[in-house]
Amino acid sequence: MLRGRSLSVTSLSGLPQWEVEELPVEDLLLFEVAWEVTNKVGGIYTVIQTKAKTTADEWGDNYFLIGPYFEHNMKTQVEQCEPINDAVRRAVDTMNKHGCQVHFGRWLIEGSPYVVLFDIGYSAWNLDRWKGDLWEACSVGIPYHDREANDMLIFGSLTAWFLKEVTDHADGKHVIAQFHEWQAGTGLILSRARKLPIATIFTTHATLLGRYLCAANIDFYNHLDKFNIDKEAGERQIYHRYCMERASVHCAHVFTTVSEITAIEAEHMLKRKPDVVTPNGLSVKKFSAVHEFQNLHAMYKARIQDFVRGHFYGHLDFDLEKTLFLFIAGRYEFSNKGADIFLEALSRLNFLLRMHKSDVTVVVFFIMPAKTNNFNVETLKGQAVRKQLWDIAHSVKEKFGKKLYDALLRGEIPDMNNILDRDDVTIMKRAIFSTQRQSLPPVTTHNMIDDSTDPILSTIRRIGLFNSRSDRVKVILHPEFLSSTSPLLPMDYEEFVRGCHLGVFPSYYEPWGYTPAECTVMGIPSVTTNLSGFGCFMQEHVADPTAYGIYIVDRRFRSPDDSCNQLTQFLYGFCKQSRRQRIIQRNRTERLSDLLDWRYLGRYYQHARYLTLSRAFPDEFHMEAPSPPTTEGFKYPRPSSVPPSPSGSQVSSPQSSDVEDEEEDERYNEEEEAERDRLNIKSPFSLGRVPRGKKKLHGEYKN
């Protein structure tokens, strides 16, 4: 048995620093349980996948992920192998002998963590017995018609069975199990009901009822304390799921959530205040050349410009060098994701740009999957016309170049009036005629199945943004996730983001918000809100988020109309920036990526693990109370080159992108500013001591 340990915690900027005795990871086993292990459904997949390398580096062979088995995922993402750990090997063998199918291997992502995958369908014959076990444990019944909840019960029952087998053969090692979301929660409930000797953590990334209520256009955050929780859950036919979620929360030794705003929600919806807030991070990769991400922006922007040339053929009367690309992406939740307020703000932005006779054009992409039949014929034709014109231009260029070359060899200056023959002129005239179109450029790239009732298209009809020549704001709905194999826009999501100028995510319900975080890591400015976990996190850690390209819309303490006006001003101010100002802002945005690195944010998870050990095994682990979180002195400062008002360095009306502000150039010293930011990130996020564990080198996990 382990001797007693005193784990003293101090907190700076809300982050724990471990200065006393280390956690003995060699004497512990860590399991993370989630439905999205190797199974991409939503944001939790990103959390687990990006965090795996940091956790595997610290815990080595004592770290395991538990998830569901799907054959197609197993074939493409998992390398099967035999468990090295004796307790895990015995647990897998025992369950396989008793009529289950348990698969073990390494997940082929960074860090190559071990995964234990349960075949849900193979064990479905036990469903009725396991429903009885759940009823005895917490008096929660699951309707037979809710197939998803039934699958989660099977998954949770298999998890609890597996953890029991592990603890029976753990040979003195203590087990920590972290369960993500209600889908994994039944495993926690059954483990505690059976009094398994494990330390448990439950993490909610969003409350079930909160998501449903916000989708119903209810003033959610101002009425948190007024909802009849049982009634609301019952009316939405999710009462049993809500009970599973709430039971998981109250059974766990430690309850965590991903942001302060979700912590407030959870306290009212689930009736327990989270013990630790664990912000979501990313695996941040820095380029060896500081400005490489700027080069990538220019390269991928050119590819987006090619798409725009085809989409707007015949109406390409705007300068692409003075065109800004904005986008919103994510699940098609019209109000939750803020698409409603964004469209209204675009209508107002269009009015402002037209009123000021701006030469700036804004092309806005909505990347939100919806039900479609196929690609829009007019959109496909546009890309075909663009390619045809490109081929004609190259053909004429080659003939022109050959004649010019021959003339120069003869020592002559060619007659430019005769260097193109009549056939060349005819071909070019025919090409020009082929670009004529009677209709406006399409708003959507696909044929929508519910065109007449689609919320985005219905709003576009109401506000009148039809991509006419007079509009300075053009809208393109791409109701499908991006892919490099698409015949329309052959780009992966990351490439597309790098090519845009601004990501806009004015969400009303966003427990964390990976889309603006991904923009930040790639050096692309973004719009978020103070109702998103990401927005609250940036407000806490950055003195002037706007100067660093993080525009935070107030959707909590303002009316919808005021929030829309604020968003419009952010967008209009962004349109007024010169090209140099946008480059400076992208440099600053990219430097914030250190704030989102799992190497730092993983400390929150360590805090939760230490805390759960002290509660589950108080005789062997003792933790002193952490100091109150404080951010004093540990915020990114306002950049010296930015005056008190962020808009003060911008001209009063939109200007050409090649105009530079000489006064700003004198104030701005990028190297000094970058060094100051690097020092500020190091102070609050001192890594302190890392728990002892064998570090794995790249390639060392291969069997």
Side-chain angles (χ1 to χ4, degrees):
M1 297 296 289
L2 298 173
R3 290 174 296 178
R5 298 177 181 271
S6 177
L7 302 173
S8 177
V9 183
T10 59
S11 182
L12 296 174
S13 190
L15 269 172
Q17 286 181 276
W18 309 103
E19 301 294 349
V20 191
E21 208 161 349
E22 303 171 10
L23 190 65
V25 296
E26 66 275 10
D27 298 325
L28 301 168
L29 295 176
L30 173 61
F31 295 89
E32 277 198 75
V33 188
W35 186 254
E36 296 192 34
V37 170
T38 75
N39 177 38
K40 188 169 186 178
V41 179
I44 302 172
Y45 177 91
T46 306
V47 174
I48 294 169
Q49 183 199 37
T50 56
K51 183 170 63 66
K53 185 180 187 310
T54 303
T55 312
D57 283 347
E58 293 179 355
W59 288 77
D61 290 336
N62 290 352
Y63 174 53
F64 305 86
L65 291 162
I66 297 177
Y69 167 82
F70 294 102
E71 185 177 2
H72 59 282
N73 292 338
M74 187 76 183
K75 287 181 177 179
T76 57
Q77 298 185 51
V78 180
E79 178 188 19
Q80 282 194 293
C81 64
E82 289 297 318
I84 297 175
N85 184 278
D86 184 62
V88 173
R89 179 177 54 77
R90 289 191 182 189
V92 171
D93 291 343
T94 300
M95 292 182 69
N96 284 332
K97 288 177 183 176
H98 285 81
C100 300
Q101 273 200 357
V102 183
H103 301 264
F104 187 88
R106 285 199 181 275
W107 191 2
L108 300 179
I109 58 173
E110 280 194 283
S112 300
Y114 288 123
V115 288
V116 181
L117 304 177
F118 301 128
D119 190 326
I120 306 301
Y122 200 81
S123 299
W125 58 276
N126 267 320
L127 178 60
D128 288 340
R129 179 163 64 86
W130 286 335
K131 280 189 176 183
D133 291 345
L134 182 66
W135 179 263
E136 289 178 8
C138 59
S139 300
V140 174
I142 300 178
Y144 73 92
H145 58 77
D146 190 345
R147 181 173 177 178
E148 184 181 4
N150 287 326
D151 284 349
M152 301 313 158
L153 174 59
I154 298 170
F155 177 53
S157 300
L158 290 169
T159 302
W161 183 359
F162 176 79
L163 291 174
K164 180 187 183 303
E165 296 296 334
V166 169
T167 54
D168 285 348
H169 305 97
D171 195 23
K173 291 190 175 183
H174 289 74
V175 175
I176 304 174
Q178 180 164 8
F179 300 81
H180 292 268
E181 284 289 281
W182 73 274
Q183 290 97 329
T186 46
L188 189 156
I189 298 167
L190 294 171
S191 296
R192 293 306 305 279
R194 295 166 187 171
K195 296 182 170 55
L196 299 186
I198 60 175
T200 57
I201 306 170
F202 182 76
T203 300
T204 184
H205 297 256
T207 70
L208 266 171
L209 193 54
R211 192 180 293 279
Y212 273 84
L213 289 171
C214 287
N217 291 320
I218 291 174
D219 187 4
F220 180 66
Y221 292 98
N222 289 324
H223 295 87
L224 273 174
D225 56 343
K226 300 179 178 65
F227 290 115
N228 183 332
I229 305 298
D230 295 331
K231 176 176 177 292
E232 298 288 351
E235 288 179 350
R236 288 161 177 78
Q237 298 183 10
I238 58 166
Y239 186 70
H240 57 289
R241 296 189 183 194
Y242 166 73
C243 290
M244 292 162 69
E245 181 183 40
R246 184 165 168 177
S248 304
V249 167
H250 288 272
C251 284
H253 291 106
V254 169
F255 172 42
T256 78
T257 189
V258 295
S259 64
E260 294 291 348
I261 193 72
T262 314
I264 296 170
E265 172 191 344
E267 190 173 359
H268 288 89
M269 295 288 107
L270 301 173
K271 307 303 179 185
R272 179 176 176 182
K273 185 176 181 179
D275 301 291
V276 183
V277 172
T278 54
N280 290 335
L282 287 163
S283 181
V284 177
K285 297 178 183 177
K286 290 288 189 178
F287 292 106
S288 55
V290 177
H291 297 292
E292 182 62 24
F293 77 95
Q294 296 278 15
N295 298 335
L296 290 175
H297 167 73
M299 180 173 71
Y300 293 126
K301 181 180 72 173
R303 288 169 61 177
I304 297 174
Q305 287 174 336
D306 275 344
F307 169 80
V308 169
R309 288 187 180 99
H311 193 83
F312 290 94
Y313 82 93
H315 288 257
L316 202 64
D317 54 356
F318 51 91
D319 186 352
L320 282 174
E321 292 304 315
K322 296 178 183 177
T323 299
L324 301 178
F325 299 129
L326 279 59
F327 78 99
I328 181 173
R331 284 192 302 271
Y332 199 153
E333 297 178 12
F334 184 64
S335 57
N336 277 3
K337 296 297 181 184
D340 51 353
I341 189 175
F342 186 26
L343 282 166
E344 186 61 44
L346 289 176
S347 175
R348 300 178 189 187
L349 174 66
N350 188 46
F351 172 78
L352 288 174
L353 294 176
R354 291 172 63 175
M355 184 179 68
H356 289 285
K357 297 183 173 17
S358 170
D359 59 357
V360 172
T361 302
V362 178
V363 176
V364 184
F365 293 87
F366 285 75
I367 313 295
M368 305 179 99
K371 293 181 180 179
T372 63
N373 284 327
N374 213 325
F375 296 110
N376 185 305
V377 173
E378 188 65 20
T379 306
L380 287 171
K381 180 183 176 183
Q383 299 308 312
V385 168
R386 178 193 63 79
K387 188 177 185 304
Q388 181 189 34
L389 292 180
W390 178 259
D391 293 341
I392 290 171
H394 266 263
S395 174
V396 173
K397 183 184 75 171
E398 286 182 9
K399 291 178 66 175
F400 179 93
K402 188 175 185 304
K403 291 179 180 179
L404 176 62
Y405 175 64
D406 291 340
L408 293 176
L409 284 176
R410 294 192 300 268
E412 302 172 359
I413 299 295
D415 183 356
M416 294 300 171
N417 294 321
N418 298 324
I419 201 166
L420 293 176
D421 56 32
R422 181 175 294 180
D423 288 342
D424 295 329
V425 175
T426 300
I427 289 172
M428 288 190 290
K429 286 182 178 179
R430 289 178 62 183
I432 291 173
F433 287 140
S434 73
T435 64
Q436 306 305 308
R437 74 195 304 178
Q438 302 302 317
S439 60
L440 292 173
V443 168
T444 177
T445 58
H446 293 59
N447 295 320
M448 305 288 287
I449 290 179
D450 300 318
D451 183 293
S452 60
T453 59
D454 182 80
I456 291 178
L457 294 181
S458 297
T459 306
I460 288 173
R461 295 185 189 103
R462 177 176 61 79
I463 61 180
L465 283 180
F466 298 122
N467 295 340
S468 64
R469 291 181 183 273
S470 60
D471 287 330
R472 297 271 49 86
V473 174
K474 320 283 188 181
V475 178
I476 300 173
L477 171 60
H478 188 281
E480 192 176 73
F481 283 132
L482 295 167
S483 169
S484 57
T485 59
S486 169
L488 283 184
L489 189 54
M491 300 178 74
D492 288 328
Y493 178 72
E494 180 178 335
E495 297 171 344
F496 176 78
V497 172
R498 287 191 183 277
C500 288
H501 295 92
L502 182 71
V504 185
F505 315 102
S507 306
Y508 184 78
Y509 187 77
E510 193 71 81
W512 176 248
Y514 257 121
T515 41
E518 288 166 340
C519 285
T520 303
V521 169
M522 295 183 220
I524 303 300
S526 61
V527 176
T528 183
T529 73
N530 61 351
L531 290 180
S532 76
F534 173 81
C536 295
F537 183 81
M538 284 301 173
Q539 278 184 324
E540 181 182 358
H541 292 288
V542 182
D544 186 359
T546 304
Y548 285 91
I550 309 294
Y551 300 89
I552 301 175
V553 177
D554 184 357
R555 295 203 65 180
R556 189 175 184 190
F557 303 109
R558 293 192 182 199
S559 68
D561 189 61
D562 287 344
S563 298
C564 187
N565 282 332
Q566 185 184 21
L567 175 57
T568 306
Q569 290 304 315
F570 282 154
L571 299 179
Y572 184 59
F574 189 82
C575 292
K576 292 195 295 184
Q577 289 182 349
S578 68
R579 182 176 182 180
R580 172 172 174 75
Q581 288 169 329
R582 292 198 302 271
I583 290 172
I584 291 172
Q585 190 177 59
R586 282 197 296 273
N587 283 332
R588 292 184 186 135
T589 303
E590 197 270 343
R591 287 201 296 273
L592 290 183
S593 61
D594 284 337
L595 278 170
L596 303 170
D597 197 326
W598 275 122
R599 290 180 301 150
Y600 304 118
L601 296 186
R603 302 297 131 181
Y604 285 106
Y605 277 81
Q606 282 194 19
H607 187 181
R609 291 166 194 151
Y610 285 19
L611 189 58
T612 195
L613 280 172
S614 70
R615 292 182 179 177
F617 309 110
D619 294 336
E620 298 173 66
F621 296 89
H622 173 68
M623 174 182 285
E624 297 176 11
S627 306
T630 175
T631 58
E632 184 179 356
F634 292 113
K635 283 190 176 185
Y636 266 84
R638 185 193 308 274
S640 57
S641 59
V642 177
S645 172
S647 60
S649 62
Q650 300 170 358
V651 291
S652 58
S653 61
Q655 60 183 7
S656 174
S657 62
D658 57 357
V659 176
E660 297 182 2
D661 190 336
E662 295 299 330
E663 184 182 350
E664 179 184 342
D665 188 32
E666 294 175 6
R667 290 196 305 269
Y668 177 72
N669 185 314
E670 183 181 336
E671 291 185 2
E672 288 183 6
E673 194 172 286
E675 181 60 28
R676 191 180 303 111
D677 284 343
R678 279 192 291 270
L679 292 173
N680 272 279
I681 186 65
K682 285 176 183 175
S683 297
F685 294 105
S686 174
L687 292 182
R689 293 187 181 183
V690 178
R692 292 192 303 272
K694 183 184 176 186
K695 298 291 189 293
K696 292 291 181 184
L697 302 176
H698 180 68
E700 192 178 339
Y701 285 121
K702 296 198 78 173
N703 290 290

